Amino acid sequence: MRGFGIGLAVAALAVAAPAWAQQGGTASFGIGGVNYTAPVPAGYCLPASAAEVERMRAIAVADRENMTALSVISCGSAANPLSYFVVKTPYQAVELPVTLRDVLDLPDFNAPEKDAQIDDQEMADVVKRETGMDATVRTDIRLMGHDDVCGYMGGTVSVEIGQERRVSLGGCMTVAGKRMVMVIFTAPGDDPADIARLKAKARAFALTIHVKPD
């Protein structure tokens, strides 16, 4: 779980213009030989322009502990470069069959809110490596228990390079097709209500993920 938010430092530096690609449609992705589909939620699009594809690639590459299977950006009138969502799985679990019970029984999700132990200096090093700029990074990301569908995580990331930018995130760890799946939504700002909203969006999207028929 330690590397959960590592790519978000780079995300907070994004300056690409909002995308105006067509909304809706279906996303397809794969994890460990299992292929999935899911409808793209309203207000989101698959990256279309070269700039958006490259920005999301950089965010994915910055996370060295989790494979990014899908990246989806916000689009339309409410688009914001700091608002997007990703589907990930830990590299060590890509080929590992798991059950939902395996995930929900993890000690991390069966205790009071627990620090996710993100290394702020490591995240600052990611910014330096990806952008060449020195940054001050502060994180407050916590593991937040579970329900019958997800183990939850959420919190904020602050990146300061001249000016400070803050990003909220909410995530759901679950299982689809016997593979561990993490759905992580982000949005600008640090309002606690946004964290709860993003967790709910992550859960809702996770429930739409289905294994593609052979």
Side-chain angles (χ1 to χ4, degrees):
M1 304 295 293
R2 187 178 61 84
F4 160 66
I6 204 68
L8 296 176
V10 179
L13 299 174
V15 294
W20 294 93
Q22 182 177 356
Q23 298 186 49
T26 301
S28 298
F29 59 97
I31 298 173
V34 181
N35 295 315
Y36 302 92
T37 62
V40 176
Y44 291 88
C45 302
L46 296 174
S49 71
E52 288 295 351
V53 169
E54 174 57 24
R55 182 169 70 93
M56 300 312 293
R57 185 207 64 81
I59 293 169
V61 169
D63 186 348
R64 294 187 172 185
E65 296 193 18
N66 302 299
M67 182 198 80
T68 302
L70 176 68
S71 300
V72 183
I73 60 175
S74 63
C75 59
S77 60
N80 188 298
L82 303 183
S83 179
Y84 62 88
F85 73 91
V86 292
V87 177
K88 295 174 175 279
T89 195
Y91 279 115
Q92 63 186 15
V94 168
E95 303 284 347
L96 181 67
V98 295
T99 68
L100 181 57
R101 192 73 264 155
D102 292 332
V103 169
L104 300 184
D105 284 346
L106 288 171
D108 289 336
F109 296 124
N110 285 276
E113 285 195 13
K114 180 179 178 182
D115 190 334
Q117 297 183 323
I118 304 299
D119 187 324
D120 291 356
Q121 184 56 52
E122 185 178 1
M123 293 190 75
D125 292 343
V126 169
V127 175
K128 180 70 172 181
R129 184 174 69 246
E130 296 295 326
T131 69
M133 295 183 285
D134 293 317
T136 299
V137 178
R138 290 179 291 273
T139 62
D140 182 13
I141 300 173
R142 298 185 177 276
L143 307 177
M144 298 179 166
H146 69 83
D147 59 16
D148 60 339
V149 173
C150 302
Y152 292 103
M153 56 212 85
T156 59
V157 177
S158 167
V159 179
E160 185 173 351
I161 304 178
Q163 65 177 10
E164 184 180 32
R165 297 187 181 187
R166 296 182 180 182
V167 179
S168 293
L169 61 94
C172 157
M173 178 179 283
T174 189
V175 171
K178 297 184 179 179
R179 294 293 185 264
M180 187 179 294
V181 174
M182 292 190 294
V183 181
I184 304 164
F185 276 74
T186 73
D190 59 359
D191 187 335
D194 285 339
I195 297 171
R197 178 178 58 84
L198 294 169
K199 286 166 53 184
K201 291 177 72 169
R203 184 185 194 276
F205 182 78
L207 287 171
T208 71
I209 297 172
H210 296 289
V211 177
K212 272 187 178 179
D214 294 331

